[in-house]
Amino acid sequence: MSDNVLRVGIGGPVGTGKTSLTEALVPIFIAAGRTPGVITNDIYTQEDARHVRRELAGVLDPERVVGVETGACPHTAVRDDPTMNLAAGEEMLERFPAVDTLIYESGGDNLTLTFSPSLADVFVFVLDTSNGEKMPRKGGPGITDSDILVINKVDIAKYVRTDLGVMERDANAVRKGKPVILTNSLDGTGVHELFDSIMANWNASRAESVA
């Protein structure tokens, strides 16, 4: 991978708010002077890509949003054989040489989803409070091994009988010091913190590769 292009993989179960989180991150990357492109993954539809284009109209060039139809399990397209996503990313960079940030949003799946290191420099796994406070205790590589774990939709915790303090505590326990960030992607709560964590993780990994 080019040292000059940051590749972020965003995955997590269905309905946790991955697309909304992507849409909240893009303006922050732009404000920080970066030039993002977005690549969404769905099995048989372009719906997520259309949603991103619509929500970011006037913020992000719609041509810099690409939908990949995987036709198979999301694991295959982002972990086992990321060929389609790699090709979509390379095509994006060829068409738009100024792009220095690629955000790959995986189709929704379960706790075992991870991103191939050949595809993503920083892996963000997203839960939400409606998953229940027990979810972090279930573990799985998405929860324990991701570079950053996000607990999204903090605003609805009280309505879904989730003790946010317990959920955060247990997430920190199973992740052994790796970042856990609480967000509400609709009002921006925690999203700047997530951006800072992504950049810190990427810069640390690049420093390690040089050392």
Side-chain angles (χ1 to χ4, degrees):
M1 292 188 188
S2 169
D3 288 342
N4 298 320
V5 178
L6 164 61
R7 294 165 170 86
V8 182
I10 299 179
V14 174
T16 54
K18 299 182 296 296
T19 302
S20 295
L21 200 64
T22 297
E23 292 163 354
L25 278 170
V26 164
I28 298 175
F29 275 110
I30 293 172
R34 300 195 67 84
T35 305
V38 176
I39 298 172
T40 66
N41 279 252
D42 279 306
I43 296 177
Y44 297 118
T45 177
Q46 294 272 325
E47 184 56 37
D48 282 348
R50 285 193 289 267
H51 193 281
V52 172
R53 292 187 194 107
R54 183 169 62 249
E55 292 300 311
L56 293 179
V59 176
L60 182 67
D61 180 352
E63 293 295 313
R64 298 211 310 266
V65 181
V66 173
V68 172
E69 294 185 36
T70 66
C73 170
H75 292 272
T76 300
V78 300
R79 183 189 67 192
D80 303 325
D81 181 10
T83 304
M84 287 187 290
N85 277 287
L86 289 168
E90 289 306 312
E91 182 178 352
M92 176 86 71
L93 297 176
E94 288 177 7
R95 291 184 63 199
F96 303 101
V99 167
D100 59 12
T101 304
L102 290 174
I103 302 175
Y104 290 94
E105 181 204 332
S106 171
D109 205 66
N110 58 36
L111 302 181
T112 64
L113 184 141
T114 59
F115 276 77
S116 166
S118 69
L119 185 63
D121 301 301
V122 182
F123 170 29
V124 178
F125 194 77
V126 185
L127 298 177
D128 77 81
T129 55
S130 70
N131 295 136
E133 63 190 50
K134 68 181 181 297
M135 187 61 79
R137 297 194 294 272
K138 291 187 174 183
I143 290 173
T144 60
D145 298 345
S146 56
D147 296 304
I148 304 165
L149 177 66
V150 168
I151 299 175
N152 195 26
K153 303 183 185 179
V154 296
D155 54 313
I156 68 168
K158 60 185 178 181
Y159 302 112
V160 293
R161 300 181 181 180
T162 292
D163 186 323
L164 188 57
V166 170
M167 195 172 186
E168 182 182 16
R169 179 200 68 198
D170 292 346
N172 280 309
V174 299
R175 286 180 56 76
K176 303 184 186 332
K178 289 189 290 186
V180 176
I181 298 176
L182 277 56
T183 64
N184 174 357
S185 57
L186 298 184
D187 71 4
T189 298
V191 183
H192 280 86
E193 182 183 355
L194 173 58
F195 167 79
D196 290 341
S197 187
I198 289 170
M199 296 306 298
N201 192 287
W202 186 48
N203 288 327
S205 65
R206 288 198 297 168
E208 288 177 4
S209 67
V210 171

